[in-house]
Amino acid sequence: MSVLDRLREKNLHTWLRDYGRHLVRKARAPRPTGTRHIMFALCDHYEPFWRKPGEEVGRARVDAWHEQYPKLANEFRDSDGRPPRHGFFFPGEEYRAYFLDKLADLCHAGLGEVEVHLHHDGDTAETLAPQLEETLKLFAEHGHLSRVGNQYRWAFIHGNWCLANGRPDGKWCGVDDELPLLHKLGCYADLTFPAAPDPSQPDKVNQIYWPTGDLTQRRSYDHGERARVGTVHEDRLLMITGPLAFARKGRSGIRLENGALTGDDPPSKERVDTWIRAGIHIEGKPEWTFVKVHTHGAIEKTAASLLGAGGRAMHEALRGYMREGWKLHYVTAREMFNVARAAMDGQTGDPNEYFDYVIPPPPIAS
C-alpha cells in the first residue's frame, strides 16, 4: 500500500489542509495577555444500549454513573468552586424513563446536563423532524432541555458522526438539509466534530465556526466562517469542534489526537496538554480557550476509566493549570455556547459571568 493509499484510508485528505492552516494561524498569533481561562466540556455520546444488550445491562450502565460519578466529582473543584459537569448526549432512540430520571438526579445535583444525540438512517427532513420532536418532548418531561419562550433549546451530537448526510456512502443519515432543520427545532450548537478518522470529518479544524453557504446542501458544515468578536449569526446553529492534532506518542511515535476518551485510550496529562495547546477560541479573544472532548461513557471499560484512574488523571492535569495561574471552568455544552456567544458580543471579565448568557439552564437544574 502506498503512502497516499494509507493517508486516504485514514481520511487525512478530508482535513489536512485546514490543519495546516491552523498551524500557520497559531504560529502567527500574538501570545494572549492577562489571565488565561479554560472552558472544559466533556461531551458523552451516552448510549446505555451500545451494541444492543438487554434492558438489564442498560440499567446497570446507567446505575454505574448514578452511583459512582458523584464520588469522583466530589474530589475536584474548578476555579469557580464547581465540580466537573458532564454532558450526557442521550440518544433519543434509546429513551427509557428510568434512564432519564437517573440522569436527572445527577443534573439536579449540579453534575451535568442532558442534551440530544440521535442515530438515524435513510431519512428526509420530513421523516426526521417528528423523531426529533418526540425526543425533545420526552426529555423535557424529565426536566431536561432549556426553554426560551415556547421553544426547547438544545445542543446536538449526530450518531455515527454523519451530520448532514456526511458519509460518502450515504449511510446513517439521509438528510442533506439537516442543519436548517436542527436550528428550526431549537438547536443552538452542534458538537459532533472532530470525527477523524471517520470520513464525515470536515475540513474545519480546531475552531468554533458558523456554517456558511447553502445550508440545505449535503455536508454544508464543510464551509464556514470562524466565530469572532463582533459577529453573530442568529439564523443558524454554531459549530463547536474539539481538538484535532498530531501529537507525540512515547519517545518517537506519533498519534492522532481527536479528543476521544476510551477505556483503551484514557485521558492523561500529555493528552490534556495537547487539547489546550490546540488553542481553540473565538477570534479576537484568545485568552478564553475552549476544550471540548468526547467519549462513549456508558461502555463498561470506558466508564471504569473515566470514573476511576483515567478520570482522576484528567482532572489532576487540569488542576495543574490552575496551579500555573490559569482559571479552569468546568462547563456543559450549553454553558460553553453561552461563553462563546458572550465573547462574540465583546464581553469582558470572567467567563463565569456568562454561563447563562443566552440560553438559560434547564428546569431540572433549578
Side-chain angles (χ1 to χ4, degrees), residues 10 37 98 132 138 189 195 200 223 253 258 304:
K10 295 293 186 181
H37 296 264
Y98 180 86
L132 286 167
L138 290 171
S200 296
H223 309 284
N258 60 6

Side-chain angles (χ1 to χ4, degrees), residues 171-184:
K171 291 182 178 178
W172 301 333
C173 184
V175 185
D176 290 354
D177 52 343
E178 193 163 30
L179 294 189
L181 173 63
L182 295 173
H183 181 262
K184 178 182 177 181

Side-chain angles (χ1 to χ4, degrees), residues 288-304:
W288 290 7
T289 299
F290 295 79
V291 178
K292 188 276 298 184
V293 295
H294 63 275
T295 189
H296 287 74
I299 301 170
E300 287 83 356
K301 190 172 184 179
T302 301

Side-chain angles (χ1 to χ4, degrees), residues 38-39 47 74 77 108 121 140 145 148 152 175 184-185 188 205 238 249 290 328 342:
I38 300 167
M39 268 56 67
E47 302 169 14
N74 192 50
R77 290 294 183 272
H108 186 66
D121 190 17
L145 307 183
V148 175
Y152 300 125
V175 185
K184 178 182 177 181
L185 295 179
Y188 52 81
V205 174
L238 183 68
K249 183 178 182 180
F290 295 79
L328 169 67

